[in-house]
Amino acid sequence: MAYYYPEPSHTFSEYLLIPGYSDAECIPSNVSLRTPLVKYRRGEEPPLSMNIPLVSAVMQSVSDDRMAIALAREGGVSFLYGSQPIGQQAEMVRRVKRYKAGFVPSDSNIRPDQTLRDILNLKERLGHSTIAVTDDGTGTGKLLGLVTSRDYRVSRMSGEERVSEFMTPMEKLITAPEGTSLKDANDIIWDHKLNALPIVTGEGRLSSFVFRKDYDQHKENPNELLDSQKRYVVGAGVGTRDYEERIPALVEAGADVLCIDSSEGFTQWQSRTLAWVRGRYGDEVKIGAGNVVDRDGFRFLAEAGADFVKVGIGGGSICITRETKGIGRGQATAVIEVARARDEYFEETGIYVPVCSDGGIVLDYHITLALAMGCDFCMLGRYFSRFDESPTDKVLVGGSYMKEYWGEGSARARNWQRYDLGGDRKLSFVEGVDCYVPYAGPLHDNVTTTLSKVRSTMCNCGALSIPELQRKAKLTLVSATSIVEGGAHDVIVKDQNTNR
Ligand code: RVP
């Protein structure tokens, strides 16, 4: 006979934290959000930790190199999506690793024989007002000049003028040679009152730009997550099919951590993949696995050698796995059970395997709840997809800006394989949807707000660190009626957007 769980499974919105005693030292600025990313032995330091408990989802519409740089700058990690050709994913890893904080490869470039109209189109499409003029129109061509909005006057020009006629030519530009330090670049910017300083190779090719605003941003990010060579830390998603080719390519490109990405991870496919990694690289390559939703799934993956275990089936905002296949579990219940299994495993073996709560974070406080319930960090898709740095287009829908967001199990995401690998495997059914999410601006501003809420709630619980929150948190299930009471009620709210 089938096994029936005695209790229904619950999700985050059904829980609240009960405040605990906080002393005068318990203020948000004293809270540390540092958390382990991969497993470690009792009494030892984790080989890889994060400064904030957030990772971005292994999804086409969420995690590319731009997102990875923006999130590592805040102290978290992106897992670059694996649903793309191996070489392309490895190149994304390389771009993150090559990125020198403050030195930005130029993505708005034009040839001198193009026109003002082309400049305006480029500006509209990419939103950058500094455009490099290079001989071949690429970001690494020979630098011939720059165009900024100070170089043209749309109202007095026809649009057909050639770029070479109105650009600021090379001989009038201030540039700096490759190898210039960020500090020196910044001094040049200040001395000459520049907005952007082109960095140029010995052969006169454009290497990157240093922007005034980026330098300030760099200084503002004490949490940034760097490897031993001061490069940003980056993760990458892998599957259980082509791992023998994909993993070596990602490792060679410099990926710091991998994650087997699957909606259901309690499988021999995953243990085989983990065994292959351990056989080839020992413990040197870090790889998480998942997803699971119970103790058995956790133990299976921990024993198979996973560096962290990811939890969650069907709770993702774009996920229809529960509707399509009838599998899954309320995310809170899943995290609570798996975190207990993690503690039990730690007691038994002395090995701490971090747990990641994946999907279903809707409101910022859900992150605090997930941490209190025992996870070490959260993976978010929808949340990050709304920001400037996500790979998708910003579009105007019904008068409001939206970003596109689609599930990895949607037809849209899966098509890459059918097209790019030349296969003709039929999509039997989809497990995800293609949708819009409201555009929310820069990642930095949003993450700052979200984490200030997390820190503040932690102080309400008397906790200055995530482990302390896990020890001290008192959680209560709430009735359906009190959930209604939790939002604004019995009033007419003026502006929904400013009240969250
Ligand atoms: P959310 O943050 O709620 O948007 O959820 C993101 C998570 O949803 C991902 O990390 C992944 O586990 C899951 N996902 C991604 N694609 C799909 C799907 O198409 N069903 N689900």
Side-chain angles (χ1 to χ4, degrees):
M1 196 181 122
Y3 175 77
Y4 291 88
Y5 286 85
E7 296 290 333
S9 65
H10 297 285
T11 192
F12 295 129
S13 290
E14 294 173 76
Y15 281 91
L16 286 176
L17 282 155
I18 306 286
Y21 170 72
S22 22
D23 63 27
E25 290 298 301
C26 205
I27 52 172
S29 57
N30 286 342
V31 170
S32 161
L33 292 176
R34 197 162 163 82
T35 195
L37 177 55
V38 296
K39 70 181 175 195
Y40 62 94
R41 286 186 180 282
R42 193 192 306 275
E44 292 179 2
E45 276 294 299
L48 202 50
S49 293
M50 295 186 290
N51 293 327
I52 60 171
L54 305 181
V55 300
S56 71
V58 196
M59 295 173 75
Q60 290 173 357
S61 50
V62 180
S63 298
D64 67 353
D65 44 311
R66 188 159 172 235
M67 175 62 71
I69 290 166
L71 184 51
R73 190 179 276 155
E74 302 301 320
V77 170
S78 283
F79 285 89
L80 302 173
Y81 62 92
S83 51
Q84 60 176 323
I86 294 171
Q88 202 173 299
Q89 191 187 16
E91 185 49 34
M92 275 189 186
V93 172
R94 272 190 215 100
R95 281 205 290 274
V96 179
K97 286 300 176 183
R98 271 201 304 261
Y99 185 86
K100 276 177 71 189
F103 292 84
V104 186
S106 175
D107 62 1
S108 287
N109 311 291
I110 203 151
R111 287 191 319 271
D113 58 323
Q114 289 181 270
T115 61
L116 174 62
R117 198 174 309 285
D118 296 325
I119 293 264
L120 298 176
N121 287 340
L122 198 61
K123 196 175 160 200
E124 162 122 11
R125 195 155 52 83
L126 299 173
H128 302 315
S129 51
T130 302
I131 297 176
V133 185
T134 58
D135 59 346
D136 58 3
T138 71
T140 52
K142 194 166 169 26
L143 184 65
L144 303 174
L146 275 195
V147 175
T148 68
S149 38
R150 274 179 285 184
D151 293 310
Y152 53 84
R153 224 169 142 186
V154 179
S155 57
R156 301 279 175 93
M157 293 164 84
S158 73
E160 297 313 316
E161 295 82 357
R162 294 208 180 277
V163 169
S164 55
E165 293 165 22
F166 61 88
M167 69 183 188
T168 304
M170 190 63 185
E171 57 274 16
K172 290 204 184 144
L173 287 183
I174 311 277
T175 65
E178 248 184 345
T180 305
S181 72
L182 191 58
K183 184 177 174 309
D184 289 347
N186 188 52
D187 287 345
I188 298 171
I189 285 175
W190 277 95
D191 290 349
H192 295 89
K193 300 192 168 138
L194 307 175
N195 281 326
L197 175 69
I199 306 291
V200 180
T201 69
E203 297 84 51
R205 291 182 166 277
L206 180 60
S207 164
S208 57
F209 277 108
V210 177
F211 292 100
R212 176 189 291 258
K213 64 176 177 24
D214 283 358
Y215 185 76
D216 292 342
Q217 199 181 46
H218 176 62
K219 281 197 303 191
E220 276 170 21
N221 288 294
N223 271 340
E224 60 186 3
L225 197 62
L226 302 172
D227 67 13
S228 57
Q229 297 172 50
K230 296 218 172 340
R231 304 173 305 177
Y232 282 133
V233 170
V234 63
V238 299
T240 53
R241 285 177 208 268
D242 61 3
Y243 58 90
E244 296 187 20
E245 292 91 53
R246 191 174 291 270
I247 290 179
L250 295 171
V251 169
E252 200 189 313
D256 298 273
V257 55
L258 306 173
C259 179
I260 309 178
D261 179 41
S262 168
S263 59
E264 209 279 277
F266 193 178
T267 68
Q268 195 172 13
W269 306 113
Q270 297 230 346
S271 59
R272 277 188 197 161
T273 308
L274 292 167
W276 183 86
V277 169
R278 295 293 167 243
R280 175 154 175 165
Y281 299 103
D283 280 338
E284 212 174 293
V285 166
K286 305 297 176 196
I287 180 163
N291 287 8
V292 297
V293 286
D294 69 354
R295 175 183 180 276
D296 294 349
F298 171 84
R299 288 201 73 102
F300 174 78
L301 291 177
E303 282 161 12
D307 280 295
F308 63 87
V309 171
K310 206 143 67 71
V311 180
I313 298 181
S317 57
I318 32 49
C319 182
I320 53 168
T321 296
R322 292 183 193 168
E323 279 177 15
T324 319
K325 292 169 66 179
I327 58 165
R329 196 173 199 194
Q331 186 65 10
T333 304
V335 169
I336 293 166
E337 182 172 319
V338 172
R340 279 198 190 122
R342 187 263 330 274
D343 292 344
E344 181 188 297
Y345 188 76
F346 183 49
E347 273 301 304
E348 270 172 49
T349 63
I351 299 172
Y352 187 92
V353 181
V355 165
C356 168
S357 171
D358 176 15
I361 298 290
V362 181
L363 298 172
D364 290 334
Y365 82 88
H366 292 167
I367 297 172
T368 324
L369 284 180
L371 295 169
M373 288 169 182
C375 85
D376 297 275
F377 55 97
C378 297
M379 177 173 271
L380 303 93
R382 187 196 60 86
Y383 177 81
F384 288 112
S385 72
R386 302 170 303 146
F387 304 153
D388 285 322
E389 293 82 353
S390 81
T392 71
D393 289 338
K394 185 166 104 184
V395 286
L396 204 53
V397 181
S400 303
Y401 279 114
M402 301 278 166
K403 293 276 280 189
E404 291 189 289
Y405 180 43
W406 60 92
E408 286 298 291
S410 68
R412 179 167 183 181
R414 288 190 184 174
N415 274 343
W416 79 275
Q417 220 165 13
R418 298 197 298 158
Y419 297 143
D420 293 354
L421 297 183
D424 62 354
R425 274 188 298 139
K426 289 261 186 314
L427 263 184
S428 45
F429 54 86
V430 294
E431 291 183 53
V433 297
D434 186 357
C435 55
Y436 296 119
V437 286
Y439 164 67
L443 179 143
H444 172 76
D445 298 357
N446 285 279
V447 167
T448 304
T449 306
T450 296
L451 294 181
S452 70
K453 290 186 200 166
V454 172
R455 288 192 186 92
S456 171
T457 310
M458 284 172 66
C459 289
N460 295 145
C461 298
L464 289 175
S465 69
I466 293 170
E468 195 178 2
L469 175 69
Q470 291 166 347
R471 279 196 309 277
K472 290 188 168 172
K474 292 182 287 184
L475 289 139
T476 180
L477 267 171
V478 286
S479 70
T481 319
S482 36
I483 292 175
V484 175
E485 189 185 62
H489 60 94
D490 302 304
V491 291
I492 297 159
V493 176
K494 290 184 186 163
D495 180 356
Q496 291 287 357
N497 293 329
T498 55
N499 285 296
R500 284 240 154 126

